[in-house]
Amino acid sequence: MIDEIATVTENRFLGGGHFLLSLESPRQAAAARPGQFAMLRLLGHSDVILRRPMSIYDIKENGAGAGAPTILQFLYKVVGRGTRLMSALKPGDSVGLLAPLGHGFFESEYLNTAKASAKVLHVAGGIGIAALLLPAKALARHRIPQRLFFGGRTLADLAGREDFEPLTGPVILATEDGSAGHRGYVTKPLEDYLERHRSKKFLM
């Protein structure tokens, strides 16, 4: 756990109220692993004093070719005053960042089970997808087959799905309004998939 003042390098609007926030913090990026999260604090707003817990979506290099990760990325959706203020952050702004937090996923804890399974199935709804990209990348490095089941109220709630397709193959979608994939909850296509492959062992 490291407490830093991180610098915003990008705060990209993805549509549907979703943003991808990139913060430069080399020590924290180097220490982070899949499944961990961070506490973000907006500076200069006395009425927003509590830190916001957010899953670490991805870890990136800064593009300088150094090879070591320096950027932490956070996928979030504007739902209240705190996230509205976050959406106004610009490159060069500063954010208080306490990270990485949580146990996270150690390969020694899951890799043998994953390799013994026919496939690893990821299941997420809406912004809950933010916790799954780093685990999916880790599994892909070991060439473990994966599939993502992703649901939301509308197509606009399915932000980030494009990042998973190179890792998991085509994403199985579900929306409550029927604007993408199965009309209804994502649990239904998951149940159908498991029923069609009853003889196989999956890790979820």
Side-chain angles (χ1 to χ4, degrees), residues 99-117:
L101 299 168
H103 180 74
F105 303 128
F106 290 88
E107 290 188 356
S108 60
E109 297 174 340
Y110 69 82
L111 197 55
N112 287 339
T113 304
K115 288 180 177 179
S117 303

Side-chain angles (χ1 to χ4, degrees), residues 34-46:
Q36 290 188 300
F37 69 100
M39 299 290 284
L40 280 71
R41 179 167 56 89
L42 298 175
L43 306 178
H45 296 279
S46 59

Side-chain angles (χ1 to χ4, degrees), residues 18-69:
H18 295 85
F19 287 79
L20 184 63
L21 175 65
S22 298
L23 300 177
E24 186 162 26
S25 181
R27 286 204 305 157
Q28 291 170 316
R33 62 177 171 267
Q36 290 188 300
F37 69 100
M39 299 290 284
L40 280 71
R41 179 167 56 89
L42 298 175
L43 306 178
H45 296 279
S46 59
D47 60 328
V48 185
I49 59 174
L50 296 178
R51 296 178 185 261
R52 263 58 181 176
M54 291 194 172
S55 296
I56 298 172
Y57 182 63
D58 204 357
I59 305 169
K60 299 277 192 179
E61 298 178 24
N62 63 6

Side-chain angles (χ1 to χ4, degrees), residues 31-171:
R33 62 177 171 267
Q36 290 188 300
F37 69 100
M39 299 290 284
L40 280 71
R41 179 167 56 89
L42 298 175
L43 306 178
H45 296 279
S46 59
D47 60 328
V48 185
I49 59 174
L50 296 178
R51 296 178 185 261
R52 263 58 181 176
M54 291 194 172
S55 296
I56 298 172
Y57 182 63
D58 204 357
I59 305 169
K60 299 277 192 179
E61 298 178 24
N62 63 6
T70 61
I71 304 291
L72 291 159
Q73 291 188 318
F74 301 89
L75 179 67
Y76 69 97
K77 183 177 182 180
V78 175
V79 294
R81 174 167 168 73
T83 45
R84 279 199 302 274
L85 291 171
M86 283 182 59
S87 70
L89 290 169
K90 300 290 190 296
D93 288 345
S94 297
V95 174
L97 188 64
L98 185 64
L101 299 168
H103 180 74
F105 303 128
F106 290 88
E107 290 188 356
S108 60
E109 297 174 340
Y110 69 82
L111 197 55
N112 287 339
T113 304
K115 288 180 177 179
S117 303
K119 192 170 290 185
V120 174
L121 305 182
H122 304 279
V123 186
I127 200 62
I129 197 71
L132 296 182
L133 184 61
L134 282 176
K137 283 189 168 185
L139 290 164
R141 284 194 292 271
H142 291 279
R143 301 184 182 277
I144 294 174
Q146 308 174 69
R147 182 61 59 90
L148 172 63
F149 295 78
F150 189 18
R153 287 178 297 176
T154 71
L155 176 61
D157 292 306
L158 304 180
R161 62 192 182 278
E162 299 88 353
D163 294 330
F164 285 83
E165 289 179 349
L167 309 171
T168 67
V171 178

